[in-house]
Amino acid sequence: MNSTEFLDRLFDVIRDEARANPAFAARLVKAAGGQVTFTERDKVAVLNPLEVAAEGGPNAVRSAFETLDPLQLRTLLKEHNLASAIDVRSRGKADLLDMLAVRATARVASRSSMAPPPQDGTS
Amino acid sequence: MSANIASIANLKGGVGKSTTTVMLADGLAYFFGLNVLVVDLDSQANSSQVLLTEVGLDAAADQGKGAHEMLGQFVRGETPIAGPFIVPNAVSLEELRRAEERDDRLGWVSILPSHPKLRLAEMSLEEDWYSGPGTPSTLAAALTEHFRASVEPLLSLYDVILIDCPPHLSPLSRAALAASDSFVLPTLADPISTWGTKQFSDWVTDHVTADLAAQSFIVVTRFRNTAMARQIRADIQDVYLKDRYFGAVIPDSVSVLKAMDRPSLDSYNTFRGKYGSVTGDVRRLAQRYADFMQIRTGTAWKMVRQ
């Protein structure tokens, strides 16, 4: 195998994995310093609300996740241990989005040793 | 009703003292309908964090609640009373909250929280005390007297008082040990923790109670089901601490980590929702502790929930 064939094969494997695994794709792009836009379906798997809250506060969380439907918001809240099944029961989209923004921001504020985001922290 | 005071203690850090404290508090409140007070004397404030969240912990400190305030009371020579420093609601279980809403309270958890400022307050007190003729032992004795008098009015209000002790023998933790009726000793199934448990047992036997064996409740925590861990656990149970009462084994599990991370102060979960795959382990822990207490005190707690 010559060097071109070798690299083709390597990048094919990486490309295939990135297509099948959006979280891997996100890590890969981030490591390379790039920025990409994800589909709504992939957002749940890829975007970390704590990271968004740390970088932009609660309003950034609202903007980043406002297109998700209630089911996706519930999944996100539970996967990041920002809510229990009881907390999200019978809640509408606006409540869930607000809960995500407020709780993600509060958790970052209480656990992060980094400086707070430059913009306002209103909820 | 007169509360039994138990210290959850071990000289070694990282053996699951706070996890055991919270699981016991929840388990006894949920399964036996007991009124439980958690006293957090560890300035790392882990059981306070788990029960109240970080936001609630700071809010409690802002409202003048916490063990550091009780220490301040001692420093100022004021009448010992712990009641004003207690956060009366540290419940995160939906079933307990609902019962309370129906005015049918059956099982409850309150907390005298800790805060990182507790260690600073204790260090300041130690500096003052030792600048005179005082010694660590006289300070521990004075604190024991203050602590006993502080909780005396609470004994009729609670069934169980669980003291989460720090992993060192500070004057405050010595006071807590001296005021305790029984001792819950969490340990890991590894050689280092086994030795730490021996050090602690020897010290308590020499300085607090000669009858530690009868007053000890051992909990093996963060148990990984490996051949080595099984062997060490068997050695602990059958050789090193064979005269002690053993509680349930708490596995090393994601469910434990999740249960120790309350999403928010206004977040509630069902018992099974909170503890997930370790629900049965927490139930066994509470059940075994109830059995231990029946042997120790003759008090038979009745199971009120399954």
Side-chain angles (χ1 to χ4, degrees):
Chain A
M1 190 186 296
N2 64 31
S3 59
T4 307
E5 286 170 339
F6 174 82
L7 288 171
D8 275 351
R9 184 173 287 191
L10 174 67
F11 286 118
D12 278 348
V13 170
I14 293 172
R15 199 167 12 251
D16 288 349
E17 180 61 22
R19 280 203 187 98
N21 183 347
F24 170 73
R27 287 197 301 274
L28 196 66
V29 170
K30 199 171 171 186
Q35 281 198 323
V36 288
T37 306
F38 296 99
T39 65
E40 296 312 316
R41 186 176 61 86
D42 290 346
K43 244 182 202 177
V44 179
V46 171
L47 271 186
N48 179 350
L50 298 176
E51 202 175 340
V52 176
E55 284 167 9
N59 292 335
V61 177
R62 286 193 185 89
S63 303
F65 297 100
E66 67 185 353
T67 53
L68 298 191
D69 63 36
L71 186 62
Q72 289 172 313
L73 286 167
R74 283 191 194 102
T75 303
L76 199 63
L77 278 155
K78 287 193 283 182
E79 278 183 355
H80 288 271
N81 212 32
L82 290 165
S84 69
I86 298 286
D87 296 339
V88 297
R89 198 173 53 188
S90 311
R91 299 262 194 168
K93 179 176 170 172
D95 277 356
L96 293 167
L97 190 60
D98 197 51
M99 186 184 284
L100 183 69
V102 169
R103 291 188 178 183
T105 309
R107 179 166 296 175
V108 169
S110 60
R111 295 188 186 175
S112 174
S113 303
M114 310 294 288
Q119 58 196 74
D120 75 298
T122 53
S123 56
Chain B
M1 179 164 76
S2 181
N4 182 277
I5 303 177
S7 276
I8 293 82
N10 195 319
L11 265 183
K12 189 181 177 311
V15 295
K17 288 185 289 295
S18 298
T19 303
T20 304
T21 303
V22 171
M23 284 181 167
L24 256 185
D26 276 348
L28 293 173
Y30 180 86
F31 291 110
F32 292 93
L34 300 183
N35 198 13
V36 181
L37 173 65
V38 172
V39 175
D40 190 358
L41 294 185
D42 187 348
S43 57
Q44 290 182 63
N46 293 146
S47 52
S48 304
Q49 177 195 356
V50 170
L51 290 169
L52 297 178
T53 75
E54 297 95 317
V55 172
L57 182 64
D58 284 336
D62 290 345
Q63 291 163 18
K65 314 275 186 191
H68 60 284
E69 297 285 356
M70 195 170 72
L71 206 58
Q73 191 182 57
F74 171 81
V75 170
R76 294 188 295 274
E78 294 169 1
T79 306
I81 181 163
F85 310 133
I86 291 171
V87 177
N89 182 1
V91 166
S92 63
L93 296 173
E94 175 73 354
E95 294 91 340
L96 304 189
R97 184 184 74 84
R98 287 210 163 191
E100 169 75 1
E101 264 183 5
R102 293 192 305 266
D103 214 13
D104 184 26
R105 182 187 279 195
L106 196 58
W108 200 251
V109 180
S110 306
I111 185 166
L112 175 63
S114 182
H115 193 276
K117 61 175 75 167
L118 174 64
R119 187 63 198 131
L120 297 175
E122 195 176 15
M123 282 164 63
S124 169
L125 168 61
E126 285 179 274
E127 278 187 17
D128 287 348
W129 192 271
Y130 304 150
S131 65
T135 65
S137 292
T138 59
L139 178 55
L143 282 171
T144 302
E145 200 177 314
H146 185 86
F147 185 80
R148 279 202 176 118
S150 298
V151 299
E152 174 66 32
L154 305 174
L155 296 179
S156 61
L157 303 176
Y158 296 96
D159 298 295
V160 179
I161 297 176
L162 301 174
I163 308 174
D164 187 3
C165 291
H168 51 84
L169 291 168
S170 69
L172 196 55
S173 57
R174 288 171 67 181
L177 293 170
S180 293
D181 306 306
S182 49
F183 304 87
V184 177
L185 271 64
T187 185
L188 310 185
D190 70 28
I192 296 170
S193 305
T194 305
W195 191 59
T197 303
K198 176 195 162 35
Q199 303 300 312
F200 181 74
S201 292
D202 290 352
W203 190 89
V204 174
T205 302
D206 289 345
H207 297 92
V208 181
T209 172
D211 194 24
L212 179 65
Q215 298 169 29
S216 298
F217 182 82
I218 313 292
V219 183
V220 176
T221 64
R222 296 186 184 154
F223 184 72
R224 290 187 185 181
N225 196 7
T226 62
M228 184 180 179
R230 283 195 297 275
Q231 183 59 56
I232 293 177
R233 179 186 153 202
D235 292 343
I236 293 171
Q237 197 151 358
D238 300 337
V239 183
Y240 308 137
L241 297 170
K242 68 181 292 188
D243 55 351
R244 314 295 165 94
Y245 198 94
F246 276 73
V249 173
I250 306 300
D252 191 13
S253 154
V254 172
S255 291
V256 175
L257 290 177
K258 285 193 80 172
M260 296 300 122
D261 190 15
R262 189 177 183 184
S264 172
L265 192 52
D266 60 350
S267 173
Y268 294 90
N269 209 339
T270 59
F271 192 89
R272 278 162 185 77
K274 178 172 180 175
Y275 285 104
S277 68
V278 293
T279 297
D281 300 294
V282 182
R283 185 180 192 274
R284 273 189 293 281
L285 178 70
Q287 177 76 65
R288 294 283 291 165
Y289 192 74
D291 294 344
F292 168 69
M293 288 309 296
Q294 183 163 14
I295 293 167
R296 286 268 303 125
T297 67
T299 308
W301 293 326
K302 199 174 150 196
M303 201 167 242
V304 297
R305 292 184 182 91
Q306 289 298 317

PDB file of all heavy atoms in Angstrom, chain B residues 1-5 37 148 150-161 179 181:
ATOM      1  N   MET B   1     -39.878   8.749  72.698  1.00  0.00           N
ATOM      2  CA  MET B   1     -38.842   8.668  71.656  1.00  0.00           C
ATOM      3  C   MET B   1     -37.581   9.356  72.134  1.00  0.00           C
ATOM      4  O   MET B   1     -37.631  10.469  72.625  1.00  0.00           O
ATOM      5  CB  MET B   1     -39.380   9.345  70.387  1.00  0.00           C
ATOM      6  CG  MET B   1     -38.412   9.355  69.239  1.00  0.00           C
ATOM      7  SD  MET B   1     -39.209   9.738  67.653  1.00  0.00           S
ATOM      8  CE  MET B   1     -39.475  11.514  67.781  1.00  0.00           C
ATOM      9  N   SER B   2     -36.467   8.676  72.032  1.00  0.00           N
ATOM     10  CA  SER B   2     -35.183   9.308  72.308  1.00  0.00           C
ATOM     11  C   SER B   2     -34.220   8.881  71.222  1.00  0.00           C
ATOM     12  O   SER B   2     -33.948   7.692  71.051  1.00  0.00           O
ATOM     13  CB  SER B   2     -34.658   8.883  73.682  1.00  0.00           C
ATOM     14  OG  SER B   2     -33.433   9.531  73.925  1.00  0.00           O
ATOM     15  N   ALA B   3     -33.764   9.857  70.465  1.00  0.00           N
ATOM     16  CA  ALA B   3     -32.964   9.547  69.285  1.00  0.00           C
ATOM     17  C   ALA B   3     -31.696   8.799  69.642  1.00  0.00           C
ATOM     18  O   ALA B   3     -31.046   9.097  70.646  1.00  0.00           O
ATOM     19  CB  ALA B   3     -32.607  10.837  68.562  1.00  0.00           C
ATOM     20  N   ASN B   4     -31.362   7.843  68.821  1.00  0.00           N
ATOM     21  CA  ASN B   4     -30.062   7.198  68.913  1.00  0.00           C
ATOM     22  C   ASN B   4     -29.088   7.993  68.059  1.00  0.00           C
ATOM     23  O   ASN B   4     -29.395   8.343  66.928  1.00  0.00           O
ATOM     24  CB  ASN B   4     -30.161   5.757  68.397  1.00  0.00           C
ATOM     25  CG  ASN B   4     -28.837   5.027  68.529  1.00  0.00           C
ATOM     26  OD1 ASN B   4     -27.970   5.149  67.676  1.00  0.00           O
ATOM     27  ND2 ASN B   4     -28.683   4.297  69.618  1.00  0.00           N
ATOM     28  N   ILE B   5     -27.930   8.308  68.649  1.00  0.00           N
ATOM     29  CA  ILE B   5     -26.925   9.087  67.913  1.00  0.00           C
ATOM     30  C   ILE B   5     -25.864   8.142  67.368  1.00  0.00           C
ATOM     31  O   ILE B   5     -25.264   7.379  68.127  1.00  0.00           O
ATOM     32  CB  ILE B   5     -26.265  10.139  68.828  1.00  0.00           C
ATOM     33  CG1 ILE B   5     -27.321  11.065  69.421  1.00  0.00           C
ATOM     34  CG2 ILE B   5     -25.232  10.952  68.052  1.00  0.00           C
ATOM     35  CD1 ILE B   5     -26.766  12.102  70.391  1.00  0.00           C
ATOM     36  N   LEU B  37     -32.289  13.093  61.587  1.00  0.00           N
ATOM     37  CA  LEU B  37     -31.492  14.325  61.523  1.00  0.00           C
ATOM     38  C   LEU B  37     -30.074  13.954  61.112  1.00  0.00           C
ATOM     39  O   LEU B  37     -29.430  13.128  61.763  1.00  0.00           O
ATOM     40  CB  LEU B  37     -31.460  15.031  62.885  1.00  0.00           C
ATOM     41  CG  LEU B  37     -30.511  16.241  62.971  1.00  0.00           C
ATOM     42  CD1 LEU B  37     -30.964  17.377  62.049  1.00  0.00           C
ATOM     43  CD2 LEU B  37     -30.391  16.744  64.408  1.00  0.00           C
ATOM     44  N   ARG B 148     -23.286  17.788  73.345  1.00  0.00           N
ATOM     45  CA  ARG B 148     -24.319  16.984  74.037  1.00  0.00           C
ATOM     46  C   ARG B 148     -25.478  17.868  74.483  1.00  0.00           C
ATOM     47  O   ARG B 148     -26.642  17.534  74.289  1.00  0.00           O
ATOM     48  CB  ARG B 148     -23.713  16.276  75.248  1.00  0.00           C
ATOM     49  CG  ARG B 148     -22.959  15.016  74.906  1.00  0.00           C
ATOM     50  CD  ARG B 148     -22.851  14.109  76.130  1.00  0.00           C
ATOM     51  NE  ARG B 148     -22.214  12.841  75.788  1.00  0.00           N
ATOM     52  CZ  ARG B 148     -21.072  12.415  76.293  1.00  0.00           C
ATOM     53  NH1 ARG B 148     -20.422  13.147  77.190  1.00  0.00           N
ATOM     54  NH2 ARG B 148     -20.570  11.251  75.960  1.00  0.00           N
ATOM     55  N   SER B 150     -26.298  20.752  73.252  1.00  0.00           N
ATOM     56  CA  SER B 150     -26.966  21.322  72.081  1.00  0.00           C
ATOM     57  C   SER B 150     -28.023  20.388  71.513  1.00  0.00           C
ATOM     58  O   SER B 150     -29.083  20.826  71.079  1.00  0.00           O
ATOM     59  CB  SER B 150     -25.950  21.606  70.972  1.00  0.00           C
ATOM     60  OG  SER B 150     -25.005  22.536  71.386  1.00  0.00           O
ATOM     61  N   VAL B 151     -27.686  19.107  71.474  1.00  0.00           N
ATOM     62  CA  VAL B 151     -28.620  18.165  70.853  1.00  0.00           C
ATOM     63  C   VAL B 151     -29.616  17.570  71.855  1.00  0.00           C
ATOM     64  O   VAL B 151     -30.589  16.929  71.443  1.00  0.00           O
ATOM     65  CB  VAL B 151     -27.882  17.019  70.101  1.00  0.00           C
ATOM     66  CG1 VAL B 151     -27.021  17.581  68.985  1.00  0.00           C
ATOM     67  CG2 VAL B 151     -27.072  16.169  71.033  1.00  0.00           C
ATOM     68  N   GLU B 152     -29.393  17.803  73.126  1.00  0.00           N
ATOM     69  CA  GLU B 152     -30.276  17.231  74.146  1.00  0.00           C
ATOM     70  C   GLU B 152     -31.764  17.525  73.875  1.00  0.00           C
ATOM     71  O   GLU B 152     -32.596  16.608  73.896  1.00  0.00           O
ATOM     72  CB  GLU B 152     -29.852  17.767  75.532  1.00  0.00           C
ATOM     73  CG  GLU B 152     -30.745  17.391  76.703  1.00  0.00           C
ATOM     74  CD  GLU B 152     -30.738  15.899  77.007  1.00  0.00           C
ATOM     75  OE1 GLU B 152     -29.678  15.275  76.790  1.00  0.00           O
ATOM     76  OE2 GLU B 152     -31.792  15.371  77.424  1.00  0.00           O
ATOM     77  N   PRO B 153     -32.124  18.789  73.560  1.00  0.00           N
ATOM     78  CA  PRO B 153     -33.553  19.059  73.292  1.00  0.00           C
ATOM     79  C   PRO B 153     -34.059  18.380  72.018  1.00  0.00           C
ATOM     80  O   PRO B 153     -35.270  18.287  71.817  1.00  0.00           O
ATOM     81  CB  PRO B 153     -33.601  20.590  73.126  1.00  0.00           C
ATOM     82  CG  PRO B 153     -32.316  21.108  73.644  1.00  0.00           C
ATOM     83  CD  PRO B 153     -31.318  20.018  73.479  1.00  0.00           C
ATOM     84  N   LEU B 154     -33.150  17.913  71.176  1.00  0.00           N
ATOM     85  CA  LEU B 154     -33.563  17.310  69.904  1.00  0.00           C
ATOM     86  C   LEU B 154     -33.857  15.817  70.043  1.00  0.00           C
ATOM     87  O   LEU B 154     -34.480  15.223  69.157  1.00  0.00           O
ATOM     88  CB  LEU B 154     -32.459  17.483  68.850  1.00  0.00           C
ATOM     89  CG  LEU B 154     -31.966  18.907  68.589  1.00  0.00           C
ATOM     90  CD1 LEU B 154     -30.781  18.888  67.639  1.00  0.00           C
ATOM     91  CD2 LEU B 154     -33.094  19.755  68.030  1.00  0.00           C
ATOM     92  N   LEU B 155     -33.396  15.246  71.139  1.00  0.00           N
ATOM     93  CA  LEU B 155     -33.492  13.793  71.261  1.00  0.00           C
ATOM     94  C   LEU B 155     -34.931  13.299  71.241  1.00  0.00           C
ATOM     95  O   LEU B 155     -35.215  12.187  70.799  1.00  0.00           O
ATOM     96  CB  LEU B 155     -32.779  13.315  72.538  1.00  0.00           C
ATOM     97  CG  LEU B 155     -31.265  13.569  72.580  1.00  0.00           C
ATOM     98  CD1 LEU B 155     -30.671  13.088  73.896  1.00  0.00           C
ATOM     99  CD2 LEU B 155     -30.562  12.880  71.404  1.00  0.00           C
ATOM    100  N   SER B 156     -35.838  14.147  71.720  1.00  0.00           N
ATOM    101  CA  SER B 156     -37.243  13.732  71.742  1.00  0.00           C
ATOM    102  C   SER B 156     -37.931  14.013  70.404  1.00  0.00           C
ATOM    103  O   SER B 156     -39.063  13.599  70.181  1.00  0.00           O
ATOM    104  CB  SER B 156     -37.979  14.447  72.875  1.00  0.00           C
ATOM    105  OG  SER B 156     -37.920  15.846  72.661  1.00  0.00           O
ATOM    106  N   LEU B 157     -37.255  14.745  69.520  1.00  0.00           N
ATOM    107  CA  LEU B 157     -37.873  15.130  68.243  1.00  0.00           C
ATOM    108  C   LEU B 157     -37.510  14.183  67.101  1.00  0.00           C
ATOM    109  O   LEU B 157     -38.208  14.116  66.099  1.00  0.00           O
ATOM    110  CB  LEU B 157     -37.437  16.552  67.848  1.00  0.00           C
ATOM    111  CG  LEU B 157     -37.738  17.661  68.854  1.00  0.00           C
ATOM    112  CD1 LEU B 157     -37.156  18.982  68.379  1.00  0.00           C
ATOM    113  CD2 LEU B 157     -39.243  17.789  69.056  1.00  0.00           C
ATOM    114  N   TYR B 158     -36.380  13.503  67.249  1.00  0.00           N
ATOM    115  CA  TYR B 158     -35.904  12.639  66.163  1.00  0.00           C
ATOM    116  C   TYR B 158     -35.788  11.193  66.632  1.00  0.00           C
ATOM    117  O   TYR B 158     -35.626  10.929  67.828  1.00  0.00           O
ATOM    118  CB  TYR B 158     -34.528  13.122  65.669  1.00  0.00           C
ATOM    119  CG  TYR B 158     -34.582  14.502  65.044  1.00  0.00           C
ATOM    120  CD1 TYR B 158     -34.282  15.638  65.792  1.00  0.00           C
ATOM    121  CD2 TYR B 158     -34.947  14.666  63.711  1.00  0.00           C
ATOM    122  CE1 TYR B 158     -34.352  16.908  65.230  1.00  0.00           C
ATOM    123  CE2 TYR B 158     -35.022  15.927  63.146  1.00  0.00           C
ATOM    124  CZ  TYR B 158     -34.718  17.040  63.906  1.00  0.00           C
ATOM    125  OH  TYR B 158     -34.792  18.284  63.340  1.00  0.00           O
ATOM    126  N   ASP B 159     -35.862  10.281  65.660  1.00  0.00           N
ATOM    127  CA  ASP B 159     -35.632   8.868  65.969  1.00  0.00           C
ATOM    128  C   ASP B 159     -34.147   8.535  65.887  1.00  0.00           C
ATOM    129  O   ASP B 159     -33.641   7.733  66.662  1.00  0.00           O
ATOM    130  CB  ASP B 159     -36.389   7.984  64.966  1.00  0.00           C
ATOM    131  CG  ASP B 159     -37.886   8.204  65.027  1.00  0.00           C
ATOM    132  OD1 ASP B 159     -38.485   7.885  66.070  1.00  0.00           O
ATOM    133  OD2 ASP B 159     -38.450   8.724  64.045  1.00  0.00           O
ATOM    134  N   VAL B 160     -33.500   9.152  64.917  1.00  0.00           N
ATOM    135  CA  VAL B 160     -32.089   8.846  64.673  1.00  0.00           C
ATOM    136  C   VAL B 160     -31.341  10.130  64.348  1.00  0.00           C
ATOM    137  O   VAL B 160     -31.851  10.968  63.596  1.00  0.00           O
ATOM    138  CB  VAL B 160     -31.928   7.885  63.458  1.00  0.00           C
ATOM    139  CG1 VAL B 160     -30.458   7.593  63.199  1.00  0.00           C
ATOM    140  CG2 VAL B 160     -32.674   6.589  63.675  1.00  0.00           C
ATOM    141  N   ILE B 161     -30.161  10.288  64.918  1.00  0.00           N
ATOM    142  CA  ILE B 161     -29.273  11.396  64.542  1.00  0.00           C
ATOM    143  C   ILE B 161     -28.013  10.769  63.960  1.00  0.00           C
ATOM    144  O   ILE B 161     -27.324   9.993  64.633  1.00  0.00           O
ATOM    145  CB  ILE B 161     -28.943  12.291  65.756  1.00  0.00           C
ATOM    146  CG1 ILE B 161     -30.227  12.945  66.291  1.00  0.00           C
ATOM    147  CG2 ILE B 161     -27.908  13.364  65.373  1.00  0.00           C
ATOM    148  CD1 ILE B 161     -30.041  13.783  67.553  1.00  0.00           C
ATOM    149  N   ALA B 179     -20.057  11.728  71.865  1.00  0.00           N
ATOM    150  CA  ALA B 179     -21.496  11.890  72.120  1.00  0.00           C
ATOM    151  C   ALA B 179     -22.338  10.799  71.468  1.00  0.00           C
ATOM    152  O   ALA B 179     -23.555  10.790  71.597  1.00  0.00           O
ATOM    153  CB  ALA B 179     -21.943  13.263  71.605  1.00  0.00           C
ATOM    154  N   ASP B 181     -23.886   7.020  70.410  1.00  0.00           N
ATOM    155  CA  ASP B 181     -24.292   5.753  71.012  1.00  0.00           C
ATOM    156  C   ASP B 181     -23.810   4.569  70.184  1.00  0.00           C
ATOM    157  O   ASP B 181     -23.674   3.461  70.684  1.00  0.00           O
ATOM    158  CB  ASP B 181     -25.821   5.668  71.090  1.00  0.00           C
ATOM    159  CG  ASP B 181     -26.414   6.859  71.796  1.00  0.00           C
ATOM    160  OD1 ASP B 181     -25.992   7.143  72.930  1.00  0.00           O
ATOM    161  OD2 ASP B 181     -27.293   7.533  71.211  1.00  0.00           O
TER     162      ASP B 181
END
